[in-house]
Amino acid sequence: MDYRGIFEDAVDSLRAEKRYRVFADLERIAGRFPKALFRDEADNAREITIWCSNDYLGMGQHQTVIAAMQETAGRLGVGAGGTRNISGTNRPLVELERSLADLHRKEGALVFTSGFVSNEAAISTIARLLPDCVIFSDQLNHASMIQGVRQSGMQKQIFRHNDVAHLRELLAATDRKRPKLICFESVYSMDGDVAPIKAICDLAEEFGALTYIDEVHAVGMYGERGGGIAERDGLMDRIDIIEGTLAKGFGVMGGYIAANKSIIDAVRSYAPEFIFTTALPPALCAAARASIEHLKTSQTERAMQQRQARLLKAMLTDAGLPVMETDTHIVPVMVGDARQCKAASDLLLEKHNIYIQPINYPTVPKGTERLRITPTPLHSDEMIFALRHALVSVWTRLELPREPADAAITASKLTSGDLTLPNFGG
């Protein structure tokens, strides 16, 4: 058996389809984000500008956050010592969970090593503990949520993306006595659209379902204290389980859920992903808490991020580029072809020192390949002007389409009848 050949053939097929993922060798420069050093295969370095980071507010570079990590590492060391079951819970982790519970106005919170793990563990555990549970999952939910649904082993119903009428049909066709869990996101990271949270909560109350919302692309950035879209819309108290990340708006690492004490205790006691995993180190916990506490009171970062997102959208639209209309900080620019998307990304890096990773299938449906741009408070107006010039140059050189981006998305949704397609969005 040629085992090596099997793996090589699998990777070669991705290369042939232009879906082989190449990770750029980047070295972020403390205090100068979004600037970074890019190293090519010959180890030659040059300075570039990052336009696709999920460090949405630049908090990974914030001096208060860095100082908290440095001070805690110097005082407590760099490791957690093992699982919380064996080594106990380090004090900064206790304080972090209290800060998260306060952020979302819930009785408790539980921290995991990543947002992927928190979704996978929480959804699967909660559903398994509900006898004969039915899970209702949005069509475009993230891969981590899909994995949690699958791992639960419970019956699932996939509703069309943000389609409240379809969700109602599915709920109405389900025995009212069966436990129900509705899983959805607040901000969908590839299209930048927002869920109809109030309408979903109304349905949950009408049909007796629990609500589980993924706020990973919203926490830190929306709401008076950075609690996410649910806080912004005054709906946090109507959501049963709020899941978030510490690695995007808060700029550090880790995932979490916030809910009532009974749910938190049940997940803590039953989820193997929590029980058998080494805890986050105290320095990371301290840094994350410093970021959260800062953003509970500071509006500066959120306001500047929204300003730069509005300016970028206006500049690119005025230039005739196919920008998807969104109400969020995510700015997708449609390409519609995997090879061309990779070529556009390569040209931006090679000729303009701009890094934007191409987004291809299976992260997005075929025919909707795009560049996903994420302006931050630290992208200056001059950087936005430079990006506009670079994109126009690339679009002209590659003769890329300029028709409205939303038309391509709509066409893709109309032609896709499979509601079980995975979404591997970041």
Side-chain angles (χ1 to χ4, degrees), residues 126-203:
I126 291 168
R128 282 199 306 268
L129 291 174
L130 296 171
D132 199 25
C133 178
V134 183
I135 304 173
F136 299 84
S137 181
D138 188 284
Q139 179 186 6
L140 294 188
N141 276 344
H142 186 263
S144 58
M145 302 180 76
I146 294 171
Q147 182 62 21
V149 172
R150 288 173 175 164
Q151 190 166 302
S152 74
M154 297 294 106
Q155 180 185 352
K156 67 177 183 294
Q157 296 279 6
I158 311 298
F159 60 93
R160 289 187 290 271
H161 178 53
N162 281 348
D163 190 332
V164 178
H166 189 217
L167 176 58
R168 169 179 281 280
E169 290 177 15
L170 296 175
L171 287 165
T174 303
D175 186 343
R176 285 182 174 268
K177 295 180 181 179
R178 294 183 68 180
K180 304 169 186 68
L181 179 65
I182 303 174
C183 300
F184 62 105
E185 301 182 37
S186 60
V187 175
Y188 288 84
S189 63
M190 291 300 126
D191 291 358
D193 55 339
V194 177
I197 301 175
K198 181 180 182 302
I200 292 175
C201 289
D202 289 343
L203 286 179

Side-chain angles (χ1 to χ4, degrees), residues 320-332:
L321 294 167
V323 181
M324 288 181 61
E325 292 185 14
T326 74
D327 295 323
T328 64
H329 58 283
I330 295 168
V331 185

Side-chain angles (χ1 to χ4, degrees), residues 103-105 162 184-188 192-198 213 215 217-239 242 299 302 305-306 310 313 326-330:
L103 174 67
H104 294 294
R105 305 302 191 196
N162 281 348
F184 62 105
E185 301 182 37
S186 60
V187 175
Y188 288 84
D193 55 339
V194 177
I197 301 175
K198 181 180 182 302
I213 191 171
E215 289 258 35
H217 294 279
V219 288
M221 294 167 282
Y222 298 91
E224 183 65 22
R225 302 195 311 152
I229 298 292
E231 183 194 27
R232 184 197 70 179
D233 295 349
L235 298 168
M236 278 201 305
D237 61 325
R238 300 185 66 188
I239 300 291
I242 297 175
Q299 304 300 326
R302 286 189 280 274
Q305 180 198 36
Q306 291 300 317
R310 287 193 300 270
K313 291 173 187 177
T326 74
D327 295 323
T328 64
H329 58 283
I330 295 168

Side-chain angles (χ1 to χ4, degrees), residues 107-409:
E107 293 177 352
L110 194 65
V111 168
F112 297 82
T113 50
S114 74
F116 193 106
V117 174
S118 58
N119 266 333
E120 180 184 48
I123 292 174
S124 62
T125 301
I126 291 168
R128 282 199 306 268
L129 291 174
L130 296 171
D132 199 25
C133 178
V134 183
I135 304 173
F136 299 84
S137 181
D138 188 284
Q139 179 186 6
L140 294 188
N141 276 344
H142 186 263
S144 58
M145 302 180 76
I146 294 171
Q147 182 62 21
V149 172
R150 288 173 175 164
Q151 190 166 302
S152 74
M154 297 294 106
Q155 180 185 352
K156 67 177 183 294
Q157 296 279 6
I158 311 298
F159 60 93
R160 289 187 290 271
H161 178 53
N162 281 348
D163 190 332
V164 178
H166 189 217
L167 176 58
R168 169 179 281 280
E169 290 177 15
L170 296 175
L171 287 165
T174 303
D175 186 343
R176 285 182 174 268
K177 295 180 181 179
R178 294 183 68 180
K180 304 169 186 68
L181 179 65
I182 303 174
C183 300
F184 62 105
E185 301 182 37
S186 60
V187 175
Y188 288 84
S189 63
M190 291 300 126
D191 291 358
D193 55 339
V194 177
I197 301 175
K198 181 180 182 302
I200 292 175
C201 289
D202 289 343
L203 286 179
E205 290 180 7
E206 180 180 349
F207 290 95
L210 287 176
T211 48
Y212 182 106
I213 191 171
D214 176 317
E215 289 258 35
V216 298
H217 294 279
V219 288
M221 294 167 282
Y222 298 91
E224 183 65 22
R225 302 195 311 152
I229 298 292
E231 183 194 27
R232 184 197 70 179
D233 295 349
L235 298 168
M236 278 201 305
D237 61 325
R238 300 185 66 188
I239 300 291
D240 295 296
I241 305 104
I242 297 175
E243 186 268 347
T245 183
L246 305 170
K248 294 181 171 64
F250 297 127
V252 190
M253 178 184 176
Y256 66 89
I257 59 169
N260 65 45
K261 287 183 179 179
S262 62
I263 292 176
I264 294 298
D265 200 22
V267 174
R268 181 190 68 85
S269 301
Y270 280 91
E273 299 89 344
F274 175 82
I275 296 170
F276 299 106
T277 299
T278 298
L280 284 185
L284 281 175
C285 296
R289 179 172 177 265
S291 181
I292 293 164
E293 292 302 317
H294 173 83
L295 290 171
K296 282 180 181 177
T297 59
S298 175
Q299 304 300 326
T300 304
E301 292 82 5
R302 286 189 280 274
M304 192 62 180
Q305 180 198 36
Q306 291 300 317
R307 178 193 181 277
Q308 299 310 83
R310 287 193 300 270
L311 176 60
L312 177 62
K313 291 173 187 177
M315 293 286 292
L316 299 188
T317 300
D318 182 67
L321 294 167
V323 181
M324 288 181 61
E325 292 185 14
T326 74
D327 295 323
T328 64
H329 58 283
I330 295 168
V331 185
V333 182
M334 192 60 59
V335 178
D337 178 86
R339 297 173 187 270
Q340 292 285 64
C341 197
K342 179 66 166 59
S345 175
D346 290 344
L347 268 178
L348 285 169
L349 185 59
E350 294 167 7
K351 303 297 183 182
H352 302 278
N353 293 321
I354 288 173
Y355 176 65
I356 307 176
Q357 182 72 0
I359 305 295
N360 294 330
Y361 178 84
T363 305
V364 295
K366 291 180 180 179
T368 68
E369 293 84 359
R370 70 200 63 178
L371 298 178
R372 175 182 176 272
I373 305 172
T374 54
T376 74
L378 301 178
H379 284 95
S380 66
D381 291 1
E382 290 73 21
M383 291 177 185
I384 292 176
F385 299 148
L387 175 61
R388 174 190 180 277
H389 170 78
L391 286 171
V392 169
S393 174
V394 167
W395 246 251
T396 300
R397 178 168 173 176
L398 295 178
E399 299 181 346
L400 296 177
R402 292 177 179 252
E403 59 263 20
D406 297 279
I409 290 292

